[in-house]
Amino acid sequence: QVQLVESGGGLVQAGDSLRLSCAASGRTFSTYRMGWFRQAPGKEREFVAAISRNGVNTLYAESVKGRFTASRENAKNTVYLQMNSLKLEDTAVYYCAASSSIGATFPGAYDYWGQGTQVTVSS
């Protein structure tokens, strides 16, 4: 199986930037599509971004498009989420996930999940 560990979360001010990392264990990282999701208290888990196996193709939720950028370094078994111009509404626990299937925006399409990292944006 694939084990995913997110890091890089923290407390920042609105307008600041933050980069999240997701480190994966295992030998087959490059065979997985990777996604980022977030969940705020009392809300459903929300799609944020997805990236293809080779890192060329990306997909973003409309709420973050133009502000967030997903990337990956397969040689390091790591996927990143660069978050710029952070807003109060971005406050959530952020999760990375790995999928071997089609359906990048749906949680059910992902096979493995990290434990999450908290991002808190203050005014």
Side-chain angles (χ1 to χ4, degrees):
Q1 66 171 18
V2 176
Q3 184 174 6
L4 306 173
V5 180
E6 302 96 335
S7 62
L11 175 64
V12 297
Q13 295 181 341
D16 284 354
S17 297
L18 200 62
R19 189 176 78 159
L20 305 183
S21 298
C22 176
S25 65
R27 301 158 55 195
T28 58
F29 177 73
S30 64
T31 69
Y32 291 93
R33 302 172 180 86
M34 298 296 296
W36 287 97
F37 292 78
R38 66 188 182 187
Q39 188 167 21
K43 294 190 175 183
E44 299 289 336
R45 190 161 297 188
E46 175 188 28
F47 169 76
V48 176
I51 187 166
S52 62
R53 295 169 179 174
N54 60 10
V56 172
N57 299 314
T58 53
L59 181 67
Y60 301 95
E62 289 298 320
S63 59
V64 307
K65 195 170 186 177
R67 299 189 297 120
F68 291 10
T69 303
S71 61
R72 67 192 295 167
E73 294 184 71
N74 287 344
K76 296 182 179 180
N77 280 14
T78 303
V79 62
Y80 306 96
L81 184 67
Q82 178 67 45
M83 304 184 293
N84 298 328
S85 301
L86 284 162
K87 304 175 180 179
L88 293 178
E89 64 194 64
D90 294 320
T91 295
V93 176
Y94 283 71
Y95 300 88
C96 67
S99 174
S100 59
S101 303
I102 297 173
T105 66
F106 307 116
Y110 290 81
D111 304 300
Y112 304 100
W113 294 82
Q115 83 290 346
T117 185
Q118 177 71 47
V119 173
T120 302
V121 184
S122 64
S123 61

